């Protein structure tokens, strides 16, 4: 048990997801456990390629896990198939990173947003039109102006609003937001982050919010999970994690945030190098090849996620606190 | 070492489009001194790339450019294509957002570096090769010798950008233009690449223009900042002065839109509502007026011109600039 909550909406238990590439195994997600409580936003942060999207897709069963469980509202999604899974999926939706690429360029906005309704079997066209109208207004688009137009007529920020509308039209309980603002400008990013917060309240959502920028994650998350090369490094309340990071990798992510203050000269202490290949991850702690605190124990023994402070868990042999 | 290296004088870039004439760069003046760093900041579509392409003389064919681009004593707008080609890659280099724009996918890293070096410098193959290895090491590529035989697609995005920087640095340019060099990269890799650029800029004493939409990126890494909006420079100041006292509401709004590290989760961000105006439909008054919280009076009818604040170096274009005492506004 990672959290005291007796009844999380989502519980991921020891999830393993692998890809096979040219006879080799990519260890994309290697034994991740986490919980998301009802009504909370859990931020998931980590560098490109660390397995965030894979984890998100495996939660939605868009990619089947090698092992482990995904319990949604008490039901094990990994054991479900066909009609049962399809019904479950209406309660869980996904918003993608690249808003423009994730919209079919030949379909009108109204049809794109209505599509989940069609798949879910809402047969009455008048009801579909009404629900599309409502959700488009909710995300700040004028339904009468946008419904008949094609995606290329819209900016990245507007396309992301359409994607959010599409994800919300079925009234889901849980939404995985996979880097929803990474492709957007600073100003549009703020608009979309605010919109997500507003929609969360309005629709009573629980969110898994994925990003590589810790400042963005902190702005919207109650708790944050830090991921590195397929494993979780640290989980904890956003502010606590920020004020007192326990894992050296969390500290590195905090240091990397560009601060808009000319007196705060960049430290230049960010270790160079990039994450190793997930085809042959390092033994022991996967972060050890970039960690300033690494020793021989780190090379031989896998650090397990363990409680350190109230609500804060860390997977490190030599935590910072 | 000082003196003006680059001066852009009244640059205007227009593009014909089906919707009509599009003014991408609207009467811009800029200077960069030798060895100094200028940040150009603004939202997507505000003309940053078109301005840098105007400097490099790499505008789309149908574009119309007027004004002068004085670089190292010559007007680039009057140089022959042959002379320009020699200049680019030698004393004027560029790094793009997508490293694949500057790298050739079918040539090895080694071939690209060695060819660039040999095209511009009188070095034999062995010397050019040695220099390539040194450059790759300098930009933080491990096992540089082995990398020479690799193709760009075999590297990660961050590594590719390092190689693109190595190619740009290979002939010791006097000015490096980096157009959103880290926007496509992770925050950790972004920090590494920006540090790398800063280090090489100091070491080589070259001038640099960093283009970004994130004020956080330019804060600790530039001498001067120019803020662009709707094709114009709307505020320009030495970096410390700008952050100490922003005068232009747009600059203030760009800064406020960044998530604050010390704000509690779920604090609403002061987003800038709406979008920049359609550049084929220029506004009569201030281009920022429809989104500006201080807009009043003349803002909708007259265009504010870039003018002096307290000091000669601090310029802004606004009828109701933020007052020096108004530091509480955020
Ligand atoms: N379909 C696939 N086939 C093979 N390998 C894959 C596939 N999808 C992802 N991978 C690999 O799995 C690892 C984790 O990928 P994933 O896309 O989940 O990471 P991510 O954190 O979302 O990264 P990004 O920010 O780049 O999207 C990476 O090494 C990636 O190259
Ligand atoms: N090849 C082109 N043809 C027509 N318009 C263009 C072209 N490239 C850019 N533009 C337009 O020029 C304006 C400025 O673009 P750009 O300089 O690329 O902005 P930024 O780099 O700040 O994102 C935008 O309105 C853009 O749509
Ligand atoms: S376990 Fe060792 S290598 Fe891993 S983060 Fe902790 S100190 Fe660093
Ligand atoms: S001139 Fe007016 S509209 Fe333009 S930025 Fe200043 S106050 Fe705002
Ligand atoms: Mg991803
Ligand atoms: Mg650009």
């Amino acid at each position: 048990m990672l959290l005291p909550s007796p009844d999380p909406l989502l519980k991921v238990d020891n999830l393993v997801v692998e890809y096979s590439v040219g006879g080799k195994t990519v260890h994309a997600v290697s034994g991740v456990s986490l919980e998301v409580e009802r009504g909370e936003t859990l931020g998931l942060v980590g560098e490109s390629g660390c397995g965030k999207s894979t984890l998100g897709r495996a939660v939605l069963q868009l990619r089947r896990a090698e092992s482990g469980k995904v319990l949604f509202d008490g039901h094990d999604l990994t054991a479900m198939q066909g009609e049962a899974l399809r019904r479950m999926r209406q309660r869980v939706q996904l918003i993608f990173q690249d808003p423009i690429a994730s919209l079919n360029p030949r379909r009108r906005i109204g049809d794109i947003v209505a599509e989940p309704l069609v798949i879910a079997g809402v047969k009455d066209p008048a009801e579909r039109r009404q629900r599309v109208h409502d959700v488009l207004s909710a995300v700040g688009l004028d339904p009468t102006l946008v419904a008949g137009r094609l995606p290329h007529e819209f900016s990245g920020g507007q396309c992301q609003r359409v994607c959010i509308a599409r994800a919300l039209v079925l009234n889901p309980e849980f939404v995985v937001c996979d880097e929803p603002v990474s492709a957007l400008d600073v100003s549009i990013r703020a608009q979309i982050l605010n919109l997500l917060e507003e929609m969360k309240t309005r629709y009573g959502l629980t969110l898994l919010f994925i990003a590589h920028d810790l400042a963005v994650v902190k702005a919207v998350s109650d708790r944050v999970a830090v991921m590195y090369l397929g494993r979780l490094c640290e989980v904890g309340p956003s502010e606590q994690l920020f004020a007192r990071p326990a894992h050296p990798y969390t500290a590195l992510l905090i240091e990397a945030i560009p601060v808009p203050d000319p007196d705060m000269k960049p430290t230049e202490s960010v270790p160079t190098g990039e994450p190793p290949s997930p085809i042959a991850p390092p033994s022991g702690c996967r972060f050890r090849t970039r960690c300033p605190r690494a020793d021989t124990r780190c090379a031989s023994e896998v650090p397990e996620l363990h409680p350190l402070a109230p609500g804060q868990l860390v997977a490190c042999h030599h935590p910072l606190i | 070492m000082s003196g003006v290296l680059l001066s852009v004088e009244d640059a205007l870039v227009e593009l014909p489009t089906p919707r009509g004439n599009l003014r991408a760069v609207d009467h811009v003046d800029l200077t960069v001194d030798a060895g100094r760093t200028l940040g150009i900041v603004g939202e997507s579509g505000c003309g940053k790339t078109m301005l840098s392409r105007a400097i490099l003389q790499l505008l789309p064919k149908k574009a119309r450019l007027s004004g002068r681009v004085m670089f190292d004593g010559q007007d680039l707008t009057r140089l022959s294509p042959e002379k320009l080609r020699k200049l680019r890659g030698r004393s004027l280099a560029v790094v793009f957002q997508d490293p694949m724009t500057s790298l050739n996918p079918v040539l090895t890293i080694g071939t690209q570096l060695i060819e660039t070096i040999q095209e511009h410098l009188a070095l034999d193959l062995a010397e050019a090769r040695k220099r390539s290895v040194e450059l790759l090491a300098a930009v933080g590529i491990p096992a540089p010798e082995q990398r020479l035989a690799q193709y760009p697609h075999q590297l990660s995005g961050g590594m590719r950008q390092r190689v693109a920087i190595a190619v740009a640095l290979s002939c010791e340019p006097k000015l490096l233009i980096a157009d959103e060099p880290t926007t496509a990269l992770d925050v950790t890799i972004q920090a590494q690449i920006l540090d790398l650029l800063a280090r090489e800029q100091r070491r080589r004493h070259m001038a640099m223009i960093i283009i970004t939409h994130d004020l956080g990126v330019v804060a600790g890494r530039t001498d001067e900042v120019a803020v662009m909006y709707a094709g114009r420079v709307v505020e320009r100041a030495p970096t410390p002065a700008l952050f100490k006292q922003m005068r232009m509401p747009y600059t203030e709004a760009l800064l406020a839109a960044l998530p604050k590290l010390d704000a509690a989760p779920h604090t609403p961000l002061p987003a800038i509502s709406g979008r920049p105006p359609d550049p084929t439909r220029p506004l009569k008054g201030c281009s920022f007026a429809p989104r500006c919280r201080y807009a009043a009076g003349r803002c909708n009818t007259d265009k504010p011109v870039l003018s002096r604040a307290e000091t000669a170096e601090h310029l802004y274009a606004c009828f109701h600039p933020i007052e020096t005492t108004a530091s509480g506004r955020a």
Side-chain angles (χ1 to χ4, degrees):
Chain A
M1 270 295 140
L2 296 181
L3 266 175
S5 166
D7 181 30
L9 181 59
L10 178 79
K11 181 167 156 56
V12 173
D13 190 20
N14 207 9
L15 201 71
V16 175
V17 191
E18 292 168 353
Y19 301 104
S20 155
V21 181
K24 292 190 178 127
T25 304
V26 178
H27 302 273
V29 175
S30 307
V32 166
S33 301
L34 54 82
E35 297 183 352
V36 190
E37 290 186 65
R38 286 165 205 277
E40 105 169 316
T41 298
L42 177 71
L44 179 64
V45 66
E47 281 161 291
S48 183
C50 76
K52 307 178 296 295
S53 301
T54 302
L55 178 60
R57 286 197 299 268
V59 165
L60 275 81
Q61 304 304 309
L62 298 174
R63 169 94 205 180
R64 290 293 190 158
E66 265 54 51
S67 62
K69 284 194 174 65
V70 175
L71 295 167
F72 181 75
D73 201 14
H75 307 278
D76 185 0
L77 301 186
T78 60
M80 282 187 185
Q81 297 193 350
E83 180 58 22
L85 183 59
R86 201 178 62 84
R87 271 206 311 276
M88 234 22 191
R89 273 208 191 121
Q90 297 178 14
R91 303 170 61 186
V92 192
Q93 294 291 324
L94 178 64
I95 298 168
F96 295 95
Q97 167 169 356
D98 188 340
I100 296 168
S102 71
L103 299 176
N104 184 336
R106 279 179 294 277
R107 303 202 61 195
R108 296 184 190 283
I109 301 298
D111 295 333
I112 290 173
V113 176
E115 196 179 341
L117 294 169
V118 175
I119 295 171
V122 179
K123 297 221 165 56
D124 178 10
E127 183 190 345
R128 286 206 302 260
R129 256 196 312 278
Q130 186 59 47
R131 287 177 70 172
V132 168
H133 185 281
D134 292 347
V135 78
L136 282 174
S137 319
V139 299
L141 296 170
D142 182 343
T144 53
L145 282 182
V146 306
R149 293 166 70 184
L150 295 167
H152 77 260
E153 298 175 53
F154 295 92
S155 68
Q158 287 173 311
C159 285
Q160 196 56 288
R161 286 178 194 268
V162 172
C163 294
I164 293 171
R166 178 177 59 181
L168 297 182
V169 73
L170 282 174
N171 251 315
E173 291 151 65
F174 186 77
V175 181
V176 175
C177 311
D178 188 0
E179 306 226 24
V181 297
S182 299
L184 305 175
D185 249 9
V186 177
S187 62
I188 309 300
R189 180 183 298 173
Q191 291 178 9
I192 297 294
L193 289 174
N194 287 346
L195 174 67
L196 281 171
E197 293 277 73
E198 214 182 293
M199 292 302 107
K200 187 187 161 192
T201 313
R202 179 162 178 165
Y203 289 86
L205 301 172
T206 300
L207 301 181
L208 178 62
F209 184 94
I210 300 175
H212 67 249
D213 183 338
L214 204 41
V216 167
V217 165
K218 190 199 170 199
V220 297
S221 307
D222 301 291
R223 290 188 307 128
V224 173
V226 180
M227 191 167 180
Y228 185 81
L229 214 58
R231 292 222 175 100
L232 292 189
C233 301
E234 182 163 11
V235 184
S238 313
E239 284 192 277
Q240 195 173 322
L241 203 99
F242 235 88
R244 296 195 313 145
H247 198 284
Y249 182 59
T250 312
L252 169 86
L253 286 179
I254 293 172
E255 227 168 76
I257 300 168
V259 184
D261 178 354
D263 296 331
M264 299 262 300
K265 290 286 172 203
T267 50
E268 299 209 13
S269 64
V270 178
T272 49
E274 301 186 16
S277 159
I279 290 177
S283 64
C285 174
R286 290 190 175 180
F287 185 56
R288 70 177 164 84
T289 54
R290 293 169 81 193
C291 181
R293 296 165 87 92
D295 65 6
T296 49
R297 183 177 171 207
C298 304
S300 57
E301 205 181 310
V302 176
E304 297 294 339
L305 210 54
H306 63 277
L308 192 83
Q312 195 170 0
L313 302 141
V314 68
C316 174
H317 297 310
H318 313 290
L320 301 171
I321 53 169
Chain B
M1 215 162 81
S2 63
V4 175
L5 175 68
L6 172 78
S7 107
V8 174
E9 295 163 19
D10 203 28
L12 183 88
V13 177
E14 290 184 322
L15 296 144
T17 75
R19 288 179 53 72
N21 188 45
L22 183 154
R23 187 169 288 185
V25 176
D26 192 1
H27 298 288
V28 166
D29 291 286
L30 278 180
T31 55
V32 184
D33 287 353
R36 308 283 285 172
T37 316
L38 170 72
I40 300 182
V41 185
E43 276 167 280
S44 175
C46 71
K48 308 180 297 293
T49 300
M50 281 297 132
L51 175 61
S52 65
R53 288 184 176 275
I55 295 170
L56 292 156
Q57 304 297 310
L58 286 175
L59 287 168
K61 278 212 169 56
K62 58 184 178 175
R64 202 171 62 79
L65 167 70
S66 68
R68 294 206 303 170
V69 179
M70 298 300 297
F71 176 73
D72 210 11
Q74 17 185 7
D75 184 355
L76 301 191
T77 63
R78 292 165 175 276
L79 285 193
S80 68
E82 177 59 18
K83 282 208 168 118
L84 275 171
R85 209 178 49 78
K86 281 228 173 78
L87 197 77
R88 286 194 297 262
R90 180 78 179 88
S91 46
L92 183 57
V94 60
V95 175
F96 294 105
Q97 171 171 344
D98 177 2
M100 291 313 281
T101 313
S102 14
L103 298 176
N104 186 333
V106 300
L107 297 181
T108 64
I109 311 280
T111 308
Q112 300 190 47
L113 267 168
I114 291 166
E115 274 186 0
T116 310
I117 291 170
Q118 286 198 305
E119 192 179 328
H120 296 287
L121 305 177
L123 295 180
D124 68 25
L125 185 63
E127 286 167 334
R129 194 187 154 82
K130 182 162 164 282
R131 188 167 175 131
S132 302
V133 173
E134 285 164 10
L135 274 164
L136 289 178
V139 298
I141 300 223
E145 266 178 274
Q146 283 126 61
R147 302 285 175 176
L148 290 181
Q150 289 192 321
Y151 291 89
H153 71 99
Q154 294 173 303
L155 305 177
S156 69
M159 284 290 170
R160 270 182 226 155
Q161 196 57 292
R162 285 174 199 273
V163 172
I165 291 170
V167 172
L169 295 176
S170 63
C171 299
E172 306 275 335
K174 289 182 185 158
L175 174 67
L176 177 70
I177 300 181
D179 187 358
E180 309 226 22
T182 58
T183 301
L185 304 174
D186 267 8
V187 268
T188 48
I189 310 301
Q190 160 169 302
Q192 293 173 17
I193 297 286
L194 292 172
D195 288 345
L196 164 68
L197 284 171
R199 195 176 64 231
E200 294 303 315
Q201 185 263 333
R202 279 196 306 270
R203 209 166 68 74
R204 295 162 194 273
H205 205 76
M206 67 182 179
M208 188 156 75
I209 297 180
I210 301 184
I211 297 174
T212 172
H213 62 94
D214 185 346
L215 272 168
V217 165
V218 298
R221 308 175 194 270
T222 54
D223 299 308
E224 202 191 1
V225 176
V227 180
M228 277 188 86
Y229 190 75
R232 295 179 158 230
V233 172
V234 293
E235 183 160 16
R236 208 176 101 194
T239 310
L242 183 82
F243 282 90
K244 188 152 164 275
Q245 182 59 63
M246 300 183 163
R247 303 305 304 269
M248 174 68 193
Y250 179 61
T251 315
E252 181 195 55
L254 266 187
L255 182 66
L258 289 173
K260 306 282 167 304
L261 298 188
D262 51 5
H266 307 303
T267 308
L269 291 162
I272 314 175
S273 62
R275 289 203 286 152
D278 178 346
T280 61
R281 304 282 183 275
L283 301 179
K284 193 155 170 284
C286 172
S287 313
F288 190 53
R291 307 169 79 189
C292 181
R293 49 196 288 209
Y294 309 119
R298 282 192 290 162
C299 298
N300 287 304
T301 50
D302 298 348
K303 263 221 187 309
V305 294
L306 202 60
S307 50
R308 258 170 219 196
E310 301 69 45
T311 60
E313 297 91 56
H314 196 153
L315 308 170
Y316 61 83
C318 177
F319 294 126
H320 310 292
I322 296 154
E323 293 305 326
T324 326
T325 48
S327 52
R329 284 182 189 168

